[in-house]
Amino acid sequence: MRKVAVAGVGMTKFGKTDKSLVELFSEAAMEAITESNIRPGDIQALFVGNCLGDFAEGQANIAGFIASELGLPPSVPATRFEGACATASVAIRDAFMWVASGFYDTVLVGGVEKILHMGTPLATRTFAMASDSRYEEFSGLTFPGVFAMLAHMYAHKYGIPLPVLKERMALVAVKNHKNGAKNPLAQFQKEITVETVLNSFMVADPLQLFDCCPFSDGAAALVLTTEEKARKMVQKPVYVLGIGQGSAGSLCRQKDYTVMQSRVASARQAYEMAGVGPGDIDVCELHDCFTIAEIVASECLGFFEFGKGSEALETGETAIGGKIPINPSGGLKAKGHPIGATGAAQAYEIVKQLRGECGDRQVDGARIGMTDTLGGDASTIVNLILGV
Amino acid sequence: MSFYKLTHREYFDALKEGRLLGLKCRQCGGYTVPPKACCDGCGGTDTEVAGLSGKGEIKTFTVVRVAPEGLQAPYIVAMAELEEGPWLMGNLLDVDPDRAGMDLIGKKVSVGHRVVQMNYTAGEGVTPVFKIIP
Ligand SMILES: [Zn+2]
């Protein structure tokens, strides 16, 4: 396997937009291509992450239209990837393997989503399609519902009184909004307090509105290439050190999902490939679709013991400047969560952090960073470890 | 001949008649509910259709207050561990959503069913429901 580098990255501002899916992706892609000092004609394959384009815009089969929009030659294969909220990370992992194997030298990969115009009922319905349609959707399960049940299970399992856990969960939102306030591309650039969270309306008990990430529009993209080519293209290539992907079935078959086996397996693959452990990670962008989700993810990735992740919010260990800064971008919570773009936006932030380009939200001296993206109810999990 | 001993439609039809069916593994003895192509415990395919007691215990729950298109909130979604081991997701009935609290966890329940019509599905759906055993 060859060493694979990220040459350039691009990302749109997250939030509401009138641009189309094709336009959003192309905007992020052109930035990544320009940053890489190459031309669209240098791209040998296009990997597009998009989850809900069929329902959002009546657009299936979007990849070819994006290739055309970008002026890629007819010989360039363009392929759509889907893995619910992990969509873009699945695409990045695949793109990595094609370059690592030697089949392609330079590829463009990213993700795009457009949700806000759909309205909450349809958006909630289409998000729920990422859970088991035979056996679990008919209960009216929603994504807040999945993580609401997780919060209750977590509080019961570890004997943490629900009000105590809720306050620590609120601190996840407070931290991520504080970080997001320093990110010009974030959907929400405003700090909040614990009271903001605890006074917001109940979405799925015990999750309130500010425990939940928003619906978002946006796109992000990366140019992946060989080490040799990257050195010629840019000053500071960032390398893909490790990748992992895991799978799981219906939530009921996962039983106690406070420990997500697909995530533990995925993270282990990525750590082993990179030859590092959780203690070596300087900065992490992980899947905080809900406040409890950040706590559980931080344990599955090995940053904290199982059952101890929520305490880290009180000690500030996951803040910028703490032991393991988590979601300096603002995370899904404040930066926004255009689901098919999220994995690429996480990689974008880690690349910028490792290059030292994050301004007020920079994690000093970060050399190894990790992403963690969860699709559906943990049925798809992807981890990437990047380094300089 | 179908490979499947119990398809999702046959499982739904039995639920509608008040019977909770699953697969019992001849290799490891474990139960797989809802059914799938192989044993959920060992991956073996030497399974037979078996009736379950339809009794279990609530492991977790939520009150959904923002519903997907086509459904009316609030309602309770819960997961129960069946006496035979598998977990099941369904709706908890006969509990006021505004009085649903942590004390529900551990409550003994019996399994019933509810027929559901939703958009974008392949036909009628059937979901398990739970009722607390007094
Ligand atoms: Zn078995």
Side-chain angles (χ1 to χ4, degrees):
Chain A
M1 268 201 321
R2 300 190 295 180
K3 198 166 174 181
V4 176
V6 183
V9 294
M11 179 175 152
T12 68
K13 184 181 180 307
F14 282 4
K16 187 151 176 58
T17 177
D18 287 330
K19 294 195 182 80
S20 73
L21 287 165
V22 166
E23 288 165 347
L24 277 172
F25 188 98
S26 300
E27 196 164 272
M30 282 300 192
E31 185 187 346
I33 290 168
T34 305
E35 240 202 7
S36 305
N37 299 304
I38 59 172
R39 285 190 301 258
D42 298 320
I43 303 288
Q44 294 171 288
L46 170 63
F47 300 74
V48 177
N50 177 240
C51 186
L52 295 174
D54 315 53
F55 287 89
E57 248 184 20
Q59 182 65 71
N61 190 30
I62 195 172
F65 298 105
I66 292 174
S68 163
E69 185 88 0
L70 292 169
L72 304 187
S75 58
V76 171
T79 312
R80 173 181 169 186
F81 285 73
E82 191 268 311
C85 306
T87 288
S89 292
V90 173
I92 293 170
R93 180 175 169 279
D94 246 68
F96 163 88
M97 291 188 291
W98 286 104
V99 177
S101 72
F103 200 90
Y104 299 123
D105 284 344
T106 303
V107 304
L108 175 64
V109 58
V112 62
E113 210 68 65
K114 188 173 164 67
I115 299 294
L116 280 162
H117 68 290
M118 293 168 78
T120 297
L122 179 59
T124 303
R125 175 70 185 97
T126 54
F127 277 49
M129 291 177 183
S131 57
D132 184 337
S133 71
R134 279 180 307 173
Y135 296 133
E136 299 191 329
E137 268 183 42
F138 291 117
S139 70
L141 180 68
T142 60
F143 265 87
V146 170
F147 288 88
M149 288 199 291
L150 177 62
H152 280 154
M153 197 185 285
Y154 189 97
H156 179 78
K157 178 179 179 179
Y158 297 116
I160 304 172
L162 193 59
V164 174
L165 180 61
K166 290 246 321 155
E167 188 146 344
R168 292 173 182 168
M169 285 160 51
L171 288 171
V172 172
V174 170
K175 168 180 71 70
N176 292 352
H177 273 263
K178 187 177 176 187
N179 294 346
K182 297 169 184 157
N183 184 352
L185 298 181
Q187 184 165 351
F188 301 127
Q189 299 174 34
K190 196 174 167 218
E191 294 198 27
I192 59 165
T193 64
V194 168
E195 286 66 39
T196 317
V197 182
L198 297 180
N199 291 332
S200 60
F201 74 85
M202 196 65 84
V203 174
D205 305 24
L207 300 184
Q208 295 177 253
L209 181 66
F210 276 82
D211 286 299
C212 308
C213 70
F215 293 120
S216 313
D217 305 341
L222 298 77
V223 170
L224 298 189
T225 189
T226 63
E227 178 178 19
E228 190 191 345
K229 289 204 163 164
R231 285 183 194 281
K232 290 180 187 149
M233 290 177 192
V234 292
Q235 293 284 325
K236 289 186 196 168
V238 170
Y239 297 97
V240 181
L241 307 181
I243 55 168
Q245 183 171 338
S247 313
S250 332
L251 212 48
C252 67
R253 301 198 205 282
Q254 296 180 48
K255 299 188 174 180
D256 173 2
Y257 59 106
T258 57
V259 179
M260 294 178 178
Q261 300 298 342
S262 51
R263 179 177 257 143
V264 171
S266 167
R268 187 182 299 133
Q269 290 171 28
Y271 284 134
E272 280 177 9
M273 185 171 166
V276 303
D280 299 312
I281 305 298
D282 299 316
V283 55
C284 182
E285 285 282 312
L286 59 70
H287 206 86
D288 60 323
C289 47
F290 300 93
T291 51
I292 186 66
E294 172 163 321
I295 292 166
V296 166
S298 71
E299 296 172 2
C300 291
L301 298 182
F303 299 135
F304 303 101
E305 280 175 45
F306 287 104
K308 300 288 183 196
S310 72
E311 293 168 22
L313 277 309
E314 288 179 347
T315 56
E317 288 170 280
T318 56
I320 295 170
K323 181 186 101 172
I324 170 69
I326 288 178
N327 291 326
S329 71
L332 283 55
K333 176 73 198 78
K335 181 179 60 188
H337 182 30
I339 59 175
T342 279
Q346 292 175 320
Y348 172 97
E349 175 73 10
I350 295 297
V351 166
K352 293 273 184 184
Q353 287 283 350
L354 299 183
R355 289 185 193 154
E357 296 173 354
C358 285
D360 290 345
R361 65 178 199 283
Q362 179 66 43
V363 174
D364 284 337
R367 297 191 58 79
I368 301 181
M370 184 171 191
T371 71
D372 166 89
T373 333
L374 170 147
D377 22 30
S379 52
T380 305
I381 298 260
V382 182
N383 293 108
L384 305 174
I385 297 176
L386 305 174
V388 287
Chain B
M1 199 191 100
S2 168
F3 164 82
Y4 273 90
K5 299 187 179 79
L6 187 61
T7 65
H8 81 287
R9 191 52 63 186
E10 291 160 349
Y11 167 77
F12 285 173
D13 288 344
L15 258 185
K16 283 168 73 174
E17 291 164 6
R19 289 178 298 139
L20 179 62
L21 295 186
L23 299 173
K24 187 171 195 296
C25 180
R26 291 198 185 98
Q27 237 166 302
C28 74
Y31 287 85
T32 299
V33 186
K36 61 173 198 169
C38 65
C39 169
D40 205 30
C42 72
T45 51
D46 187 10
T47 57
E48 59 189 353
V49 177
L52 285 94
S53 72
K55 302 254 187 321
E57 180 184 312
I58 297 290
K59 301 299 285 187
T60 189
F61 72 97
T62 182
V63 181
V64 173
R65 295 182 188 276
V66 178
E69 180 188 283
L71 298 179
Q72 283 296 320
Y75 51 84
I76 303 176
V77 177
M79 289 171 79
E81 181 178 28
L82 301 171
E83 283 180 340
E84 293 86 353
W87 289 30
L88 209 53
M89 185 185 294
N91 297 118
L92 180 63
L93 302 185
D94 300 342
V95 171
D96 178 357
D98 290 330
R99 288 172 178 272
M102 289 294 284
D103 59 331
L104 285 175
I105 296 176
K107 287 265 194 291
K108 304 286 182 202
V109 291
S110 61
V111 178
H113 80 277
R114 194 166 69 85
V115 173
V116 185
Q117 298 285 353
M118 284 173 85
N119 287 340
Y120 322 116
T121 64
E124 173 192 87
V126 183
T127 184
V129 299
F130 306 119
K131 289 189 181 189
I132 291 172
I133 300 171

